[in-house]
Amino acid sequence: PYRQDMIRLSLAAPYPRTLCVGRCCVPGPEGTVLRLSFVRDETLAEGLRAELAQAQQALAESTREHERLARDLLRQERATSHSLQQALDAKELALEAQNEALLQSERLASLGALLGGISHELNNLLGPILGYSQLLQARELAPEQADAAARIEIASRSAAQVVRSLLAFANPRAA
C-alpha cells in the first residue's frame, strides 16, 4: 500500500518560499515497509523552470539567428561562386582568342618562310632569263627575234616584280 501525506508551508519574507514536506510508505522486500520522508523547495523548482524556459527561448532565438546567418552565408557563397564562374568564363574566352591569334600568327610565319624560299628560287631562275634576253637584244637579230627577246625581258622583269611583292609580304620589315 502506497500512501503520501504532504504538508505545504509558505514562508514569509525576506525569503518567500513554499516548502513541501512529505512522507511516503512503500512496500519493501520481504514484507517490510519503507518510510521515505522528503522536503521539496517548490520556489526553487519554479525558479529552475523559469530559467529553463528562458534558456530554451534563448536557444531558440540563437538557433534562428544561426539559421539566418547560415542562409546569408550560403547566398553570399552562391553569389561569389557565380561571379567567379563568370570571371573564369571570361578568362577562358580571352585565352581561346589569344590561342587563336597565336595560331594565326604561326600560320602567317610559316607562309612567310615558304614565300621567302619560293621567291629566292624564282629569282635564281629569273636572273639568267633576264640576262640572256638582254644579251639577245644586244645582237643584230631579225625583227621577230628582237621582238621576242624584248618580250622575254619585259616578262622576266614583271616576274621579278611579283617576286619582290612576295618577299615584301613574307618579310614586311625588310620592305
Side-chain angles (χ1 to χ4, degrees):
Y2 171 75
R3 212 178 109 217
Q4 179 179 351
D5 296 324
M6 187 174 287
I7 301 170
R8 290 187 186 275
L9 299 173
S10 291
L11 302 176
Y15 303 107
R17 301 185 112 121
T18 301
L19 296 178
C20 293
V21 178
R23 184 180 62 207
C24 293
C25 296
V26 181
E30 299 177 12
T32 60
V33 176
L34 298 176
R35 293 174 190 246
L36 302 174
S37 297
F38 62 90
V39 174
R40 187 175 72 197
D41 187 341
E42 284 193 3
T43 304
L44 179 63
E46 286 175 16
L48 290 175
R49 279 192 290 273
E51 284 181 33
L52 177 61
Q54 287 175 347
Q56 287 172 333
Q57 184 180 4
L59 177 63
E61 288 174 10
S62 176
T63 301
R64 283 191 297 273
E65 180 65 16
H66 284 111
E67 288 172 350
R68 185 190 64 77
L69 288 173
R71 283 190 305 273
D72 290 348
L73 284 174
L74 184 59
R75 268 194 297 276
Q76 289 173 356
E77 185 273 333
R78 285 181 182 155
T80 301
S81 176
H82 181 70
S83 64
L84 286 175
Q85 185 62 46
Q86 286 178 332
L88 180 63
D89 292 344
K91 294 289 183 183
E92 285 177 350
L93 285 175
L95 183 60
E96 285 177 18
Q98 288 176 345
N99 283 340
E100 186 62 35
L102 178 62
L103 184 60
Q104 183 66 21
S105 175
E106 289 173 351
R107 285 181 189 148
L108 285 175
S110 296
L111 181 61
L114 178 65
L115 286 176
I118 291 172
S119 298
H120 180 71
E121 292 300 320
L122 285 176
N123 270 335
N124 287 343
L125 295 172
L126 288 173
I129 294 171
L130 186 58
Y132 283 121
S133 69
Q134 290 172 348
L135 284 175
L136 280 174
Q137 287 178 12
R139 292 180 152 191
E140 291 289 328
L141 297 174
E144 293 174 2
Q145 292 174 337
D147 186 46
R151 278 191 259 156
I152 291 171
E153 182 181 359
I154 291 170
S156 62
R157 287 190 188 276
S158 294
Q161 182 58 42
V162 170
V163 169
R164 280 192 292 279
S165 296
L166 288 176
L167 281 173
F169 177 78
N171 190 3
R173 284 177 243 124

